[in-house]
Amino acid sequence: MNLNLLDEDSMQPSEPTPCDFFKGEDAITKAKLLGLPDLELVRQAIMIGDAEFRTNTYYNRARFIARWGKIGEQLALLLRQSDPDWVFHNDSQPRIENTAKKIQIIFMSGNIALGIADQIVSAHCKKGFMTLKNIKENQSSYDDETKLRTWILYFPSASHPAYISTDIPTIPFEFAYPTSFVQDPKAQKISILPSNHTCRIAFEIDNTLPVKADPKPVLEPSDEIKPDDFDIQLVV
């Protein structure tokens, strides 16, 4: 790995890299072929996180970070039940790793491009050092089973239109393989967005089931507490 984490080769201003995009049955097949988690488990994890989020009120300023944590927790628990080779790491940036498959997964809310092939997907909020470091692990192609590969699970933010509109039938999420990042030139510390994804595997959650209305307003993205704002450690 290049020790200069902000080298020019990794800092890309756009998404020029060709990207393989899979959706529907092709996405299910591709995910299984690559050894990624079963989409039904991911659906369950996101739905559980959303259900708990809806129990919080506007006065709970930590509800956004709590939703992120609950989705990651549930994904880790469900994966451990299905395959004990999946291990949860909680050092700085939580991630789920399967050394047998040479895959590690970090998870974060994605932008409005989720599930849309001709749009540039990335994180909903800027990320820090650990996200940058994990992206730098991707020195090979996404299907190279001889090298550790970092995949990002992008789930929709709480302000995604699927959560605030009544006429959007599905909630998108996807696995994506980033190969570089965009650094905010005005930031005085590492502040990046993942970029140049060479593979995107998109799925959907049925959004037509009745859900009790949630009247609390959603904060603007700039006001949200983000995972990288904390050095989260597991207390046992």
Side-chain angles (χ1 to χ4, degrees):
M1 177 187 297
N2 190 332
L3 295 180
N4 179 10
L5 295 178
L6 290 176
D7 64 290
E8 293 183 0
D9 290 339
S10 295
M11 295 173 58
Q12 300 294 334
S14 59
E15 192 99 19
T17 304
C19 179
D20 297 329
F21 184 87
F22 302 91
K23 199 169 186 176
E25 291 299 320
D26 289 339
I28 296 173
T29 300
K30 194 64 178 180
K32 289 181 179 179
L33 183 63
L34 292 170
L36 291 169
D38 183 272
L39 77 95
E40 287 301 330
L41 298 184
V42 183
R43 279 177 177 158
Q44 289 180 45
I46 295 173
M47 292 174 71
I48 291 171
D50 286 345
E52 181 171 285
F53 179 80
R54 287 191 292 270
T55 68
N56 295 314
T57 69
Y58 171 76
Y59 300 103
N60 184 350
R61 293 280 294 182
R63 65 190 185 278
F64 296 102
I65 192 73
R67 175 176 178 260
W68 166 83
K70 175 59 71 172
I71 291 173
E73 173 203 60
Q74 290 300 309
L75 181 60
L77 291 173
L78 291 168
L79 284 177
R80 287 283 295 170
Q81 291 174 5
S82 65
D83 182 354
D85 283 342
W86 287 103
V87 178
F88 181 73
H89 297 286
N90 200 37
D91 47 346
S92 295
Q93 182 177 49
R95 68 189 193 283
I96 306 167
E97 183 181 18
N98 190 314
T99 56
K101 297 179 178 180
K102 295 190 180 302
I103 289 174
Q104 66 175 2
I105 297 170
I106 56 178
F107 39 93
M108 61 190 70
S109 56
N111 62 11
I112 199 68
L114 281 179
I116 306 174
D118 61 354
Q119 298 296 313
I120 299 175
V121 74
S122 191
H124 179 61
C125 301
K126 292 181 176 67
K127 303 300 173 183
F129 171 77
M130 288 307 300
T131 298
L132 182 153
K133 182 177 181 295
N134 284 319
I135 290 174
K136 292 284 288 187
E137 294 285 355
N138 288 344
Q139 301 295 315
S140 61
S141 62
Y142 67 81
D143 56 356
D144 183 354
E145 298 178 355
T146 67
K147 303 288 181 61
L148 177 66
R149 291 155 291 159
T150 298
W151 288 82
I152 298 177
L153 168 61
Y154 287 119
F155 52 86
S157 72
S159 60
H160 190 280
Y163 292 120
I164 58 179
S165 300
T166 58
D167 57 350
I168 298 178
T170 59
I171 298 170
F173 66 94
E174 61 181 76
F175 285 108
Y177 188 78
T179 60
S180 62
F181 47 85
V182 178
Q183 165 69 16
D184 183 350
K186 297 180 180 179
Q188 296 182 350
K189 62 179 182 178
I190 293 175
S191 180
I192 68 162
L193 290 172
S195 66
N196 290 344
H197 301 81
T198 57
C199 183
R200 294 172 59 192
I201 305 175
F203 305 108
E204 296 174 335
I205 298 172
D206 185 1
N207 197 30
T208 61
L209 300 176
V211 176
K212 184 178 179 181
D214 182 7
K216 61 183 178 295
V218 176
L219 300 180
E220 292 298 319
S222 59
D223 292 330
E224 287 189 21
I225 301 173
K226 303 180 288 297
D228 277 337
D229 290 335
F230 298 89
D231 183 7
I232 301 172
Q233 298 295 333
L234 180 64
V235 177
V236 295

